[in-house]
Amino acid sequence: MADTYAPGELDAARAEAQRLTSRILELREAYYENDAAIASDQEYDGLMHRLEEIEHLFPELQGQDSPTQTVGGRAQTLFDPVVHAERMLSLDNVFSIPEFLAWAARVERDSARSVHYLCELKIDGLAINLRFENGVLVTAATRGDGVVGEDVTENIAYVPGIPKRLAGTGHPPLVEVRGEVFFPVEAFRELNAGQAASGERIFANPRNAASGSLRQKAEGKNQAQLALMHARLSRLRMLVHGLGAWQNPPVASQSEMYELLAGWGLPTSTHYRVVHEATDAAGFIDHYGEHRASVEHEIDGIVVKVDELALHQELGATSRAPRWAIAYKYPPEEVNTKLLDIVVSVGRTGRATPFAVMEKVRVSGSEVRQATLHNQDVVKAKGVLIGDTVVLRKAGDVIPEVLGPVVELRDGTEREFVMPTNCPECGTPLAPAKEGDVDLRCPNARSCPAQVRGRVEHIGSRGALDIEALGEVSAAALTQPTVPAEPPLPTEAGLFGLTIDDLLPIGVVVRDAETGLPKEDEDGSLRMRTPFRRNPSAAEKKQGLTGPQPSSSALTLLAEIERAKSSPLWRLLVALSIRHVGPVAARALGNYFGSLDAIRSASREQLAEVEGVGGVIADALIDWFDVDWHRDIVDQWERDGVQFSTPGHPGPGAAAAAGGVLAGLTVVATGSLEGFTREEAQEAILAAGGKSASSVSKKTDFVAAGPGAGSKLAKAEALGLRIIDAEGFRKLLAEGPAAFEDAPAPEPEESPAE
C-alpha cells in the first residue's frame, strides 16, 4: 500500500497507531498486572480493531512488539516458570449470530470441504496446561503469556478428578492437555459464605476465586492456614477442552480425542455436541443462552471448534488465536439498582476516575456495589443522575458497567454529578495530560497522596518486588497516616530507608467497609489503628518492657524491604512505575543492558531495537528519566543500598566487543530446551555476545529448537536455517559457530514461508 496514500497520510497513520498502542498497553498493564479494568471490553476491542485496520493499510507500521501480534496475558513471578511445549493461544470473539455465521462461512470456504463443528460451553475459570510424559503428570501450569506459565503442580494435586497417572494404555511420550479450572456455582457460594463469616475478602466472581485459590503459596503458612488452603483447592474442579503438544494423535477429530481422554481418566465435559451445519451450532448457542443457569458452573459463552484435527493444521492460527475456533460471548446479565453517589478516585497514574456507588445488587453470579464511569464525559453521555435507578450489567460477564438510568422512575430528588476541579486527595487543579484528552489527571504526580500510595502498593506487588506486608493497608499507612501529620513516605524515595522508629508512631483512621467513611469512637474521636505496633505481652512486661513494641507486620516489612534491595534488575524497573514498562519489557531491558546506568545512557534507537521493547516504551523510558524527582528516587534508593545492576553482566555490546563466541549472530531459542527456561536461554545468548530474537527470518543464524517448537521450527526448515537441539545449543554457547563448520547446512525449500 506504500504507493496508494496521499502525502502526509502515513505520518498521520503512524501518529494514530502510536496513540492506540500506548492506550492498549496501558489497559493491558492495568488488567494483567494490577487486576484493574479501566475500560470496557468494547472499548478495548474497538482500539484493537482500529489498530489492525491501520496496520493492514500500512504494513510498515506493524512491529513485532505491536499489541496485534502479542497475547495480552503474561506469566507472573510467584511460582517457577514453565515453558509450554506448544503455545497456549487466546480465542477470537464474536457477539452475534450473524458474526458467528460469517466466521463459519470463512472456515468452510478455506477448508474447501465438509466441516463438522464441536460446540462446547466456555467455562468462566482459569486456563491450565497439564503435561504428561509416558502417562505420568509432570507439570501443571497456568497459561501466562501463552509461552511461559506458572508452575502450580503442587497445588493441582489437591484438585479432585485430575489423575497423577493416566489410566489405560497407549500413552504418548509427551502430551499436553488444556483445560479450565473453576469453582462450581454451589462451591463458589459456599466459599464466599465462609469468607464472609471469617471476615475475609469476598471474591467478585468464580474466575477470580479459582485464580486466587490455585495461585496460593504454601510457604510461610502454619498448619491451620495450610488446611484452609487445601480445603479451598478441594472445592475446585477441572474440565479438559483441548490439546497442546501431541505428535500424531491416534484420532481424527476433537470429539474422538475427548472420548480417548475420558478413557484415560481425565475429566471431560458432557455439555458438548458435534453438529454438521453452522446453523445447528447457532441453535446450540441459542439454547444455552436461555439455559445458562442450568449449568453447574458459570459460563460466559460458547466455544465452537472445527471437529476435524487435520483442518486445525490447514487453517492455522494468527499470532494470537487459532482460525479453527471462535468464542461466542453472550450479552451480559442486566439488573436495576439505586445510584447512591458518584465519587472520584485518583489512581497511581493520576487519572481522576468517577465511580458509581450503588445499592448492593447481585449480577452475573456476584454482588456489586461499585462500577467505574471512566470520566466526566461518560457520566454525561450515560445521562445518569445521583439518586437514579440505573441499569447495571457486567461487560463480558466480568466488569460491572452502568448502562444508563431508568428515567421513568425519577421522582425529582435526583441531582447532577459535578466533576471536581481539584484533586480530592491533594487539592491540585485537575487538567488533561495533553490537549484533546478527555481524562482529567492530577498533575501533582510527585506528592499527591493517592498517587504515592498507588505507587508504593505497586512496588510491593507480585509483579514488582513482591514485598510481603507491603499491600494496600500498609501503603496507605505509610503515605497517608493521621499520626504523625507528616507521613513517613511523602514519595516512594524513602521506602528503602525506613526504620522501626518511622513505623511505630503511625496511626490510620478506621473506615467503614461499605461507605468508606471514617468511624468514630463513643467520645466522638476518630477510631484509629496502629498497624505497626502492639502492646507488650505479659512476659515482655515482666522483662521490663513497657512501651509499644513492633508488630510482626513491621518486622516482616523491614526484613522484606532489606531483601528487596538485591532484587533482579527487571523487578526494580517494574517497581519504578515507568509507563508501559511491565515485566516483559523490563526483562528484555535488564537482560540486554545489565544495569540502570546503561539504560539511562542509551539512545532512543538503542532502546527501541531491544527485542520486546520498541518505540513506545523507548519514549516512555526517556520521558521518565527527564523528570528530576524520578531521578531523585533512583539516587535515594541507591544510597539506601538498592543494587541497580546485574552482577557479572558484561553490559550492552560488551560481550561482542570482548570477542563473545556469538558476536554478530542472531539466535532464536524455541520450544522446551532441556536445561533452560526461556529466560535462561535468552540470557545465555546475550552473555555469549549474540542477539536473542523471538521470530525466525532470513537474518537468523541458528535456531535452537526443542519439543513444542511448532511454527518457528517449520519456518526455519523452510528457510534452510541451521537448526540445533539442546545439546547443540550448549555446544554453540561454549564454542560458537565454529563447532558446526564441518556439518552441511540444510537446503531451503523451493518456496520458503515468509
Side-chain angles (χ1 to χ4, degrees):
M1 296 295 294
D3 57 350
T4 62
Y5 53 83
E9 191 174 349
L10 178 60
D11 290 338
R14 179 179 286 108
E16 183 178 4
Q18 288 176 344
R19 288 196 301 271
L20 290 166
T21 298
S22 179
R23 178 62 171 163
I24 291 167
L25 289 175
E26 181 180 30
L27 297 180
R28 284 187 176 183
E29 178 184 355
Y31 187 78
Y32 291 110
E33 296 176 41
N34 304 324
D35 294 327
I38 60 176
S40 66
D41 282 357
Q42 290 89 337
E43 179 183 341
Y44 180 83
D45 291 341
L47 294 170
M48 286 288 289
H49 180 68
R50 177 57 182 158
L51 184 57
E52 289 170 349
E53 285 182 335
I54 293 173
E55 292 178 348
H56 177 72
L57 291 172
F58 305 100
E60 59 267 49
L61 299 181
Q62 185 186 79
Q64 62 182 9
D65 59 330
S66 170
T68 65
Q69 303 301 301
T70 57
V71 176
R74 59 183 50 146
Q76 294 297 325
T77 56
L78 185 64
F79 293 84
D80 291 335
V82 173
V83 179
H84 306 310
E86 290 284 349
R87 283 188 306 158
M88 293 184 73
L89 298 175
S90 300
L91 288 174
D92 287 333
N93 297 322
V94 293
F95 299 90
S96 68
I97 293 298
E99 282 183 283
F100 165 72
L101 294 175
W103 169 82
R106 289 193 298 273
V107 166
E108 291 170 8
R109 178 199 66 203
D110 294 340
S111 300
R113 61 182 184 271
S114 177
V115 175
H116 297 162
Y117 298 98
L118 183 143
C119 312
E120 59 188 9
L121 307 183
K122 188 174 185 297
I123 304 170
D124 189 14
L126 178 70
I128 204 78
N129 182 70
L130 303 179
R131 180 186 179 111
F132 291 89
E133 293 181 3
N134 297 311
V136 177
L137 178 63
V138 176
T139 58
T142 62
R143 187 183 74 168
D145 64 359
V147 177
V148 180
E150 291 178 289
D151 189 345
V152 292
T153 311
E154 183 176 342
N155 287 351
I156 210 74
Y158 293 92
V159 179
I162 301 177
K164 295 183 176 63
R165 181 182 292 274
L166 297 176
T169 59
H171 310 131
L174 168 66
V175 64
E176 282 186 345
V177 178
R178 273 80 190 265
E180 207 81 2
V181 171
F182 61 94
F183 274 104
V185 173
E186 193 56 38
F188 176 68
R189 290 173 182 160
E190 293 172 359
L191 172 65
N192 264 350
Q195 294 287 105
S198 59
E200 297 291 331
R201 177 174 67 93
I202 302 298
F203 288 101
N205 54 59
R207 190 205 173 280
N208 284 1
S211 178
S213 299
L214 195 60
R215 298 177 68 252
Q216 297 178 90
K217 269 285 192 181
E219 295 173 10
K221 287 183 167 59
N222 59 35
Q223 289 300 316
Q225 291 169 328
L226 281 174
L228 288 173
M229 171 182 164
H230 296 159
R232 187 189 297 178
L233 289 168
S234 70
R235 288 196 177 104
L236 289 168
R237 295 296 182 270
M238 178 193 172
L239 288 177
V240 170
H241 60 52
L243 282 178
W246 189 355
Q247 196 168 18
N248 302 319
V251 292
S253 67
Q254 180 100 3
S255 52
E256 290 176 330
M257 179 267 293
Y258 280 5
E259 294 176 8
L260 178 59
L261 295 181
W264 285 351
L266 286 160
T268 56
S269 175
T270 58
H271 297 294
Y272 75 88
R273 184 189 309 163
V274 177
V275 298
H276 302 286
E277 302 288 343
T279 51
D280 293 332
F284 184 93
I285 291 169
D286 288 337
H287 172 80
Y288 278 100
E290 297 174 4
H291 299 88
R292 292 167 68 175
S294 67
V295 183
E296 65 270 20
H297 51 73
E298 295 280 353
I299 64 173
D300 57 2
I302 297 295
V303 176
V304 180
K305 304 174 181 176
V306 173
D307 195 32
E308 292 83 358
L309 296 180
L311 283 176
H312 292 191
Q313 296 294 327
E314 294 181 26
L315 293 170
T318 67
S319 60
R320 294 184 296 121
R323 294 189 177 95
W324 46 265
I326 199 76
Y328 182 98
K329 302 297 286 290
Y330 286 124
E333 292 182 6
E334 298 177 1
V335 297
N336 288 359
T337 188
K338 198 78 168 179
L339 178 60
L340 303 177
D341 200 359
I342 297 176
V343 298
V344 174
S345 173
V346 176
R348 174 165 63 106
T349 63
R351 176 187 281 116
T353 304
F355 277 85
V357 179
M358 300 162 290
E359 287 183 353
K360 189 181 293 184
V361 64
R362 189 171 185 83
V363 55
S364 295
S366 64
E367 291 185 334
V368 174
R369 71 179 307 271
Q370 286 190 339
T372 179
L373 291 169
H374 303 293
N375 56 59
Q376 68 276 13
D377 284 6
V378 171
V379 177
K380 186 178 296 184
K382 290 182 181 292
V384 293
L385 303 177
I386 297 171
D388 268 335
T389 296
V390 295
V391 180
L392 178 73
R393 71 171 181 180
K394 280 193 176 179
D397 280 348
V398 175
I399 306 166
E401 178 184 7
V402 174
L403 293 181
V406 183
V407 177
E408 297 79 5
L409 297 179
R410 285 178 175 166
D411 59 13
T413 62
E414 298 81 13
R415 69 185 191 277
E416 287 189 14
F417 164 72
V418 178
M419 186 72 180
T421 57
N422 296 79
C423 173
E425 296 264 359
C426 69
T428 303
L430 299 173
K434 56 182 180 292
E435 187 177 353
D437 274 5
V438 175
D439 292 330
L440 296 179
R441 294 179 183 268
C442 172
N444 180 24
R446 181 183 185 278
S447 56
C448 173
Q451 297 182 62
V452 178
R453 179 176 68 242
R455 293 197 300 268
V456 170
E457 183 180 349
H458 168 71
I459 290 168
S461 67
R462 286 198 300 257
L465 299 186
D466 195 15
I467 298 176
E468 188 178 347
L470 186 57
E472 181 180 359
V473 174
S474 295
L478 291 167
T479 57
Q480 292 185 305
T482 304
V483 180
E486 179 71 17
L489 295 182
T491 76
E492 60 268 43
L495 176 64
F496 290 94
L498 287 174
T499 67
I500 200 67
D501 291 334
D502 295 320
L503 301 181
L504 285 180
I506 293 176
V508 293
V509 176
V510 177
R511 296 181 178 272
D512 184 90
E514 289 293 311
T515 66
L517 297 174
K519 289 186 176 182
E520 295 183 351
D521 287 324
E522 293 181 359
D523 61 1
S525 61
L526 293 177
R527 187 176 302 175
M528 304 292 296
R529 284 185 57 201
T530 54
F532 297 119
R533 70 175 186 262
R534 60 176 176 81
N535 293 324
S537 65
E540 289 171 330
K541 288 179 180 178
K542 288 182 179 179
Q543 297 173 5
L545 296 175
T546 57
Q549 300 299 306
S551 66
S552 60
S553 295
L555 297 174
T556 298
L557 177 61
L558 292 178
E560 284 285 290
I561 288 174
E562 185 63 31
R563 175 196 58 78
K565 292 179 181 179
S566 56
S567 295
L569 176 58
W570 72 265
R571 284 187 173 274
L572 293 164
L573 286 170
V574 174
L576 290 172
S577 288
I578 303 171
R579 190 176 173 88
H580 304 322
V581 179
V584 174
R587 280 185 185 274
L589 289 162
N591 289 341
Y592 184 84
F593 289 101
S595 72
L596 191 63
D597 285 341
I599 294 171
R600 291 174 67 172
S601 61
S603 66
R604 182 190 187 278
E605 290 71 25
Q606 290 171 323
L607 292 168
E609 72 181 8
V610 174
E611 193 80 17
V613 177
V616 171
I617 295 175
D619 289 337
L621 283 160
I622 292 170
D623 290 345
W624 195 88
F625 282 108
D626 277 344
V627 179
D628 56 358
W629 66 268
H630 288 166
R631 298 192 297 272
D632 291 342
I633 292 171
V634 173
D635 293 343
Q636 184 62 55
W637 284 13
E638 286 184 322
R639 286 194 295 270
D640 289 330
V642 175
Q643 301 172 19
F644 280 108
S645 62
T646 303
H649 194 288
V661 295
L662 298 186
L665 299 181
T666 298
V667 182
V668 172
T670 181
S672 180
L673 290 168
E674 184 182 357
F676 298 89
T677 65
R678 184 177 63 161
E679 289 80 6
E680 288 170 348
Q682 292 172 343
E683 290 168 4
I685 294 167
L686 293 171
K691 177 183 177 183
S692 175
S694 62
S695 58
V696 174
S697 72
K698 292 180 179 179
K699 296 181 181 179
T700 304
D701 296 289
F702 286 87
V703 176
S711 60
K712 291 181 184 179
L713 176 59
K715 188 170 184 178
E717 291 170 342
L719 290 172
L721 301 178
R722 178 77 68 185
I723 301 168
I724 55 179
D725 57 15
E727 183 179 350
F729 182 52
R730 282 188 282 272
K731 182 183 292 186
L732 178 67
L733 294 171
E735 304 175 32
F740 301 91
E741 286 180 353
D742 294 337
E747 292 293 329
E749 297 178 5
E750 293 184 4
S751 300
E754 292 294 332

